[in-house]
Amino acid sequence: MTLALGCVADDYTGASDLANTLTKAGLRTVQTIGVPADDLALPEVDAVVVSLKSRSIPADEAVARSREAAAWLNARGAGHLLFKVCSTFDSTDEGNIGPVTDALREDAGEAIALVTPAFPETARTVYLGHLFVGMVPLAESPLKDHPLNPMRDSNLVRVLARQSRAGVGLIDLATVAQGAEAVGARLDALAREGKGAAIADAVLDRDLAVLGAAALTRKVSTGASGLGLGLARALVAAGRVAPAATAADLGGPIGGPAACLAGSCSQATLGQIARAEAAMPVRRLDPARLLAGEDEAGAALTWAMERIGDGPVLIASSAGPDEVAAVQARYGRDAAGHAVEAAMARIAEGLVAHGVRRLVVAGGETSGAVVDRLRLPAFRVGPEIAAGVPVLRTTDRDMWLALKSGNFGGPDFFADALRLMP
Ligand SMILES: Nc1ncnc2c1ncn2[C@@H]1O[C@H](COP(=O)(O)OP(=O)(O)OP(=O)(O)O)[C@@H](O)[C@H]1O
Ligand SMILES: O=C(O)[C@@H](O)C(=O)CO
């Protein structure tokens, strides 16, 4: 297998978002969970997205795991390496986007890497280095209250510079409008000034096509699904992959009980849970009781088993910013997050042990905890449920999954997802 594109994603939902974008753009793509074992059988593909759970771990660990993933992809001939980060640039001043980008770029012998989280399809745009989420700058969006990495600075040149060893420059929209050669020349000029990364503006998909073509002339870039789209289009245009004629056959219906788990506290997910109340029974975990040592997971599982024969159920830990802040103040941010993730993983394990083969999970860290506990090695990518969220089919057993980034999906996401998981 010689890969046209190798991708290292810093969380599992972000990885399936990217796999979805690449598949839609015509690349045959597989998403793996962690660095695959050497004996993992994978179909012939153009791109592999290795999913890590490295967004919110110490930077040195994120670097080590990303390097390991990059080495696996390079050993399979990856022509270009994309480090997939969140379209809202989720990270703290301690890392991990800067340190991982520095490390992958240096390992590849490159002086500078192009970086952009722009993903216009989901209303993430970058102008003069400032990230906008919908109509507002990042620091005024709900991401300012993220439970793990509150984003309080919209200027990504500044944000990335605080995380990076080498300096960070800007490729502005006026340069992008001049085309891929102008972007390449700007990257060269910034590299001569000693910069190791350049935040690139992008507002429309056509800007991403330019950035993809420019990025492809180097070995490493960093971005969200939008840059993936640009790279995929550039690969197809350059004849380096033949666009897949038909979507991969993912196999027939699986049936049986279905369940949804939500650990994301994003505004989008909170709205989707409220809407789901009309369509299925919803159980809300009480994080305070859970952290106090009560068996919330066991109780939720018993509750689910009593209902799951009649239709899908939803179990959610999600809460609004004030409730999350109160729990975090009492137990600490990381301890609270990990305890809730562990409870979700245990519930998922119990559901699967009782026959659930159709599972929807909301939230990147939550999805990571669940998928790790279920020991799922890799997924093939199916139809799109909503922008950035595909249906996934496990490669080693018959199971449907949907791993939703917290902010993604329409108001009826949970019902929409289950409809595509027969
Ligand atoms: N009620 C709660 N109180 C405190 N922490 C919570 C609560 N519910 C969930 N959490 C934690 O908040 C974090 C949510 O992160 P997660 O990545 O799952 O969602 P997200 O950040 O919205 O999604 P994404 O990473 O895809 O954007 C997890 O660590 C989860 O365990
Ligand atoms: O890029 C995005 O917004 C998503 O794929 C994601 O990573 C959210 O956690």
Side-chain angles (χ1 to χ4, degrees), residues 10-11 13-15 17-18 55 84-88 90 119 122 124 224-225 364 388 405-408:
D10 70 351
D11 85 343
T13 52
D17 164 19
L18 176 61
R55 187 173 290 174
K84 160 69 175 70
V85 298
C86 188
S87 65
T88 47
D90 293 15
F119 189 20
T122 55
R124 274 58 157 162
S225 252
S405 293
N407 292 300
F408 287 177

Side-chain angles (χ1 to χ4, degrees), residues 11 13 55 86 90 146-148 263-266 269 287 317-319 323-324 327-328 336-338 340-341 362-367 404-407:
D11 85 343
T13 52
R55 187 173 290 174
C86 188
D90 293 15
H146 190 281
L148 302 179
S264 166
C265 300
S266 70
T269 303
S317 68
S318 318
E323 259 179 273
V324 171
V327 169
Q328 291 184 337
H338 291 149
V340 174
E341 288 165 33
E365 298 294 330
T366 311
S367 297
K404 185 190 86 79
S405 293
N407 292 300

Side-chain angles (χ1 to χ4, degrees), residues 25-341:
L27 271 56
R28 297 165 302 165
T29 306
V30 158
Q31 172 182 356
T32 71
I33 298 302
V35 180
D38 280 335
D39 60 355
L40 179 68
L42 289 175
E44 188 65 26
V45 287
D46 304 305
V48 170
V49 183
V50 176
S51 329
L52 301 180
K53 198 168 182 277
S54 58
R55 187 173 290 174
S56 308
I57 62 176
D60 54 344
E61 286 174 37
V63 166
R65 288 187 201 172
S66 306
R67 277 193 155 133
E68 205 190 323
W72 188 93
L73 293 161
N74 286 332
R76 275 138 195 95
H80 181 88
L81 216 55
L82 171 64
F83 174 39
K84 160 69 175 70
V85 298
C86 188
S87 65
T88 47
F89 222 68
D90 293 15
S91 53
T92 65
D93 287 350
E94 285 69 52
N96 292 343
I97 300 176
V100 173
T101 301
D102 282 339
L104 298 186
R105 171 181 62 71
E106 285 167 12
D107 290 353
E110 292 282 4
I112 189 162
L114 186 150
V115 180
T116 188
F119 189 20
E121 193 184 342
T122 55
R124 274 58 157 162
T125 56
V126 181
Y127 181 64
L128 297 180
H130 287 69
L131 176 57
F132 290 80
V133 178
M135 302 297 282
V136 295
L138 174 66
E140 292 171 31
S141 77
L143 274 300
K144 70 182 188 315
D145 297 317
H146 190 281
L148 302 179
N149 29 248
M151 300 305 291
R152 304 259 160 96
D153 186 357
S154 308
N155 181 329
L156 299 187
V157 176
R158 260 188 333 234
V159 172
L160 189 59
R162 287 197 290 270
Q163 304 176 11
S164 304
R165 273 201 312 279
V168 178
L170 172 70
I171 303 171
D172 67 5
L173 197 61
T175 306
V176 178
Q178 291 169 42
E181 272 186 35
V183 171
R186 176 76 180 144
L187 278 167
D188 289 338
L190 288 170
R192 282 194 297 276
E193 287 172 21
K195 309 279 198 246
I199 297 288
D201 282 355
V203 172
L204 300 170
D205 279 359
R206 69 162 184 252
D207 304 324
L208 295 167
V210 169
L211 295 180
L216 208 53
T217 63
R218 292 160 200 262
K219 295 199 191 97
V220 172
S221 58
T222 294
S225 252
L227 186 57
L229 175 69
L231 286 163
R233 286 197 179 160
L235 283 165
V236 172
R240 284 161 64 178
V241 300
T246 50
D249 177 14
L250 295 190
I254 295 173
C260 307
L261 298 173
S264 166
C265 300
S266 70
Q267 266 186 12
T269 303
L270 292 173
Q272 290 156 350
I273 297 167
R275 279 287 272 263
E277 309 247 18
M280 62 189 88
V282 175
R283 165 96 177 191
R284 292 178 186 272
L285 293 188
D286 182 341
R289 281 170 57 88
L290 194 152
L291 277 141
E294 305 275 341
D295 187 13
E296 276 288 290
L301 209 45
T302 307
W303 172 90
M305 286 313 133
E306 287 164 5
R307 289 162 179 81
I308 208 147
D310 299 329
V313 298
L314 166 64
I315 298 171
S317 68
S318 318
D322 293 344
E323 259 179 273
V324 171
V327 169
Q328 291 184 337
R330 174 129 189 237
Y331 297 99
R333 186 187 67 177
D334 290 347
H338 291 149
V340 174
E341 288 165 33

